[in-house]
């Protein structure tokens, strides 16, 4: 509720002058102000003294050490170096690997990453062959990136780069390639020479700011991705998955953040409109994200009559908190629908929680999960704990991210921390491969060969 305007104010620019004040009353007023100021100063130092003695003796010792270093140390030590060493010790020696003190810059960067706000070219690649030779083998093309728009594909190798086709540096050293990319400004165009089983081709592309797309939808005849300024436009893009059965759709979910919820909503609407029956959910490389986004998406995969099924339980030690989701399974799937999952060693946290939700509600079985085998091991990451981020100062913007709870599967109470989902649980598995879509196609065949 707004306060009433002072009636002395006629309008925004015209004020009634204040009444005159005698010299005697001025002296009284000055004396009162001085007394008030002295009282405040005294209270400040009294409060400071009380605060000092309420500190731990170790904290008082640390402050004294810092002061003495500032006064006497011959070499000189900046505040940044002193406090940087302390926070490094907190992050590296005291806290678990998922907890950390975050500067304002760190906190902003973390939020931007989960939100999908990126700037650059948009690929991930492997830098060496198994025999140690240099290579730039593309393992992921980020959605809605300049690389995706240029048509780069998983399994292709970058064998040359330059400003145009006539000034190419033909080599596969990743360090010099990264140096070349670093020299390119946003909006500048450059050229790549890429190689695959089909031969070599030149690709013109560039760096740009973009919002990453986290959801891809494919059938045996069509492929869709999200494009546009906010990765919100469902666009026919990419290659169909011809190995899919006609009644089955495929969704790749990169992380639980950015456009994951809206993208999944649009993908499932398309799934329903196309009359598809079965679904393959690909969580490879999905390292988690926001639990709230997982809640929203889990609503599609709770095969239960409950209106608001529990999808996860956070165990804080002294208390437990249940996370529920709206149950919309029956709007998209029938009683005999089949939902399968593909995951790998990088499927972690919220991804594993979603798998647990699907297993507990019998939406999927371990036999309908295919894990990617790497170096003889097929498993998910094994992160069954949750972090919460707390602002330390609204003025400075720094934060601390702390592990605060174990995450339990909704019905069984299972926690997969430091374990993951294993092949011994009864899953299927295929070997890791970076040859185009060999890995994905092998997983789909493994899942449906015994169906």
């Amino acid at each position: 509720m707004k306060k009433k305007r002072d009636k002395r104010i006629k309008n925004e620019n015209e004020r009634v002058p204040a009444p005159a004040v005698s010299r005697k009353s001025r002296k009284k007023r000055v004396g009162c102000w001085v007394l008030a100021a002295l009282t405040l100063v005294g209270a400040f130092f009294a409060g400071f003294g009380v605060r000092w003695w309420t500190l731990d003796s170790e904290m008082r010792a640390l402050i004294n050490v810092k002061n003495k270093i500032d006064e006497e140390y011959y070499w000189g030590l900046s505040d940044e170096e002193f406090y940087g060493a302390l926070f490094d010790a907190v992050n590296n020696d005291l806290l678990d690997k998922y907890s950390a003190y975050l500067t304002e810059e760190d906190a902003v960067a973390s939020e931007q990453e989960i939100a999908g706000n990126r700037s650059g070219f948009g690929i991930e690649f492997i830098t060496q062959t198994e025999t140690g030779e240099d290579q730039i083998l593309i393992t992921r093309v980020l959605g809605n990136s300049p690389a995706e728009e240029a048509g780069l594909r998983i399994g292709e190798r970058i064998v040359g780069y330059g400003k145009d086709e006539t000034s190419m540096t033909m080599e596969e050293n990743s360090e010099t390639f990264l140096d070349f990319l670093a020299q390119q400004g946003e909006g500048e165009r450059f050229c790549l020479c890429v190689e695959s089983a089909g031969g070599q081709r030149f690709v013109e592309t560039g760096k740009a700011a973009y919002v990453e797309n986290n959801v891809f939808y494919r059938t045996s005849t069509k492929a869709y991705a999200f494009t546009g300024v906010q990765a919100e436009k469902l666009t026919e893009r990419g290659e169909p998955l011809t190995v899919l059965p006609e009644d089955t759709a495929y969704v790749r979910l990169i992380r639980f953040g950015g456009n994951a919820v809206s993208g999944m909503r649009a993908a499932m609407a398309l799934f329903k409109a196309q009359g598809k029956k079965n679904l393959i959910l690909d969580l490879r490389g999905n390292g988690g994200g926001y639990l709230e986004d997982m809640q929203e998406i889990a609503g599609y995969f709770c095969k239960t009559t409950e209106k608001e099924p529990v999808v996860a339980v956070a165990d804080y030690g002294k208390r437990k908190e249940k996370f529920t989701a709206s149950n919309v399974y029956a709007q998209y799937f029938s009683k005999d629908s089949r939902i399968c999952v593909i995951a790998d060693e990088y499927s972690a946290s919220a991804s594993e929680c979603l798998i647990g939700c699907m297993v507990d509600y019998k939406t999927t079985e371990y036999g309908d999960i295919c894990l990617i085998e790497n170096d003889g091991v097929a498993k998910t990451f094994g992160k069954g704990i949750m972090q919460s981020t707390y602002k330390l100062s609204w003025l400075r913007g720094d934060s601390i991210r702390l592990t605060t709870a174990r995450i339990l599967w909704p019905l069984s109470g299972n926690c997969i921390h430091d374990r993951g989902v294993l092949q011994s649980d009864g899953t299927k598995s295929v070997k890791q491969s970076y040859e185009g879509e060999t890995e994905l196609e092998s997983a789909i065949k493994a899942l449906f060969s015994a169906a």
Side-chain angles (χ1 to χ4, degrees):
M1 183 173 66
K2 292 183 179 180
K3 291 183 178 180
K4 293 181 179 179
R5 289 177 181 268
D6 189 327
K7 292 182 179 179
R8 293 180 299 168
I9 301 176
K10 295 182 179 178
N11 57 53
E12 296 294 328
N13 301 310
E14 182 182 351
R15 294 176 182 268
V16 175
V21 182
S22 70
R23 182 175 297 180
K24 186 175 181 180
S25 79
R26 284 180 185 172
K27 286 182 178 179
K28 277 187 180 179
R29 196 167 285 188
V30 169
C32 290
W33 280 113
V34 170
L35 181 60
L38 289 173
T39 302
L40 287 173
V41 170
F44 171 80
F45 282 106
F48 181 81
V50 171
R51 173 61 178 163
W52 171 259
W53 291 110
T54 59
L55 295 175
D56 295 337
S57 60
E58 292 84 357
M59 184 60 70
R60 294 200 301 271
L62 180 62
I63 293 172
N64 287 332
V65 167
K66 173 66 169 61
N67 291 338
K68 194 56 66 177
I69 288 173
D70 291 342
E71 294 169 4
E72 305 292 347
Y73 188 48
Y74 84 106
W75 189 258
L77 194 65
S78 69
D79 288 350
E80 184 177 4
E81 291 171 315
F82 182 84
Y83 293 114
L86 292 179
F87 285 125
D88 284 345
V90 169
N91 286 352
N92 300 325
D93 300 330
L94 298 179
L95 301 176
D96 68 276
K97 63 182 179 180
Y98 303 107
S99 301
Y101 166 78
L102 304 173
T103 65
E104 183 175 9
E105 292 77 13
D106 294 335
V108 170
S110 178
E111 291 174 359
Q112 292 295 311
E113 180 181 358
I114 296 179
N117 297 321
R118 296 183 177 272
S119 178
F121 175 43
I123 63 168
E124 294 178 359
F125 55 86
I126 290 178
T127 62
Q128 287 189 330
T129 65
E130 291 183 357
T131 57
E133 298 173 346
D134 285 341
Q135 69 171 352
I136 306 172
L137 176 65
I138 300 173
T139 58
R140 189 162 87 91
V141 179
L142 276 65
N144 203 33
S145 68
E148 184 190 55
E149 188 175 358
L152 290 178
R153 296 186 290 270
I154 294 172
E156 290 186 314
R157 288 176 21 243
I158 297 174
V159 297
Y161 47 89
K163 295 301 292 183
D164 52 50
E165 294 183 25
T166 62
S167 59
M168 301 291 291
T169 298
M170 303 300 293
E171 65 173 16
E172 297 183 62
N173 182 276
S174 60
E175 294 300 323
T176 54
F177 173 61
L178 289 172
D179 288 341
F180 169 78
L181 285 181
Q183 295 168 16
Q184 310 308 307
E186 192 173 300
E188 291 185 48
R189 307 295 289 176
F190 55 87
C191 189
L192 301 176
C193 180
V194 297
E195 185 175 276
S196 63
Q200 290 186 352
R201 65 189 179 98
F202 291 102
V203 175
E204 184 183 347
T205 184
K207 289 162 63 175
Y210 62 97
V211 174
E212 183 183 0
N213 168 42
N214 290 314
V215 181
F216 299 84
Y217 179 90
R218 301 165 75 180
T219 68
S220 59
T221 58
K222 299 281 186 179
Y224 302 85
F226 290 87
T227 63
V229 177
Q230 297 296 323
E232 78 290 353
K233 183 180 178 182
L234 186 61
T235 305
E236 195 169 326
R237 172 180 284 187
E239 299 295 325
L241 266 173
T242 55
V243 297
L244 282 174
E246 186 178 349
D247 61 355
T248 303
Y250 163 92
V251 172
R252 177 80 184 268
L253 184 58
I254 302 298
R255 73 167 49 80
F256 295 92
N259 76 327
V261 172
S262 60
M264 194 70 185
R265 186 182 301 118
M268 292 307 297
L270 190 58
F271 175 91
K272 184 176 182 178
Q274 293 177 341
K276 299 299 180 183
K277 174 183 175 183
N278 305 316
L279 179 70
I280 296 176
L281 181 64
D282 189 347
L283 297 174
R284 288 177 300 163
N286 187 324
Y290 293 124
L291 183 59
E292 291 80 4
D293 285 7
M294 192 282 293
Q295 280 181 267
E296 289 283 338
I297 291 171
Y300 296 104
F301 304 113
C302 293
K303 193 176 181 179
T304 172
T305 56
E306 296 177 29
K307 291 183 178 180
E308 292 187 342
V310 175
V311 296
V313 178
D315 181 0
Y316 293 91
K318 296 181 179 179
R319 63 183 176 87
K320 291 182 180 180
E321 182 178 343
K322 294 181 178 180
F323 294 86
T324 61
S326 300
N327 185 4
V328 294
Y329 176 90
Q331 297 178 29
Y332 299 91
F333 302 104
S334 60
K335 291 182 179 180
D336 59 346
S337 289
R338 186 169 177 229
I339 302 177
C340 300
V341 177
I342 305 174
D344 64 10
E345 60 188 316
Y346 304 110
S347 304
S349 192
S351 291
E352 293 170 300
C353 190
L354 180 59
I355 292 172
C357 178
M358 296 168 72
V359 170
D360 272 11
Y361 283 111
K362 304 187 184 309
T363 305
T364 193
E365 300 176 351
Y366 282 115
D368 287 332
I369 299 173
C370 185
L371 301 175
I372 307 304
E373 178 186 324
N374 183 20
D375 290 333
V377 178
K379 66 185 294 291
T380 61
F381 186 83
K383 182 175 181 288
I385 52 179
M386 181 179 73
Q387 286 69 46
S388 302
T389 301
Y390 304 94
K391 287 279 188 182
L392 296 177
S393 168
W394 291 106
L395 295 176
R396 297 194 324 175
D398 55 346
S399 308
I400 189 164
R401 181 173 61 227
L402 295 174
T403 299
T404 52
R406 292 191 313 143
I407 296 297
L408 311 178
W409 288 7
L411 303 182
S412 64
N414 185 26
C415 180
I416 48 76
H417 191 61
D418 286 338
R419 180 188 187 275
V421 177
L422 307 177
Q423 188 175 358
S424 58
D425 291 325
T427 72
K428 296 180 172 64
S429 68
V430 297
K431 290 187 176 181
Q432 185 181 67
S433 173
Y434 293 115
E435 297 180 9
E437 293 199 307
T438 300
E439 180 180 288
L440 174 57
E441 292 175 353
S442 297
I444 293 172
K445 290 176 182 178
L447 287 167
F448 283 85
S449 60

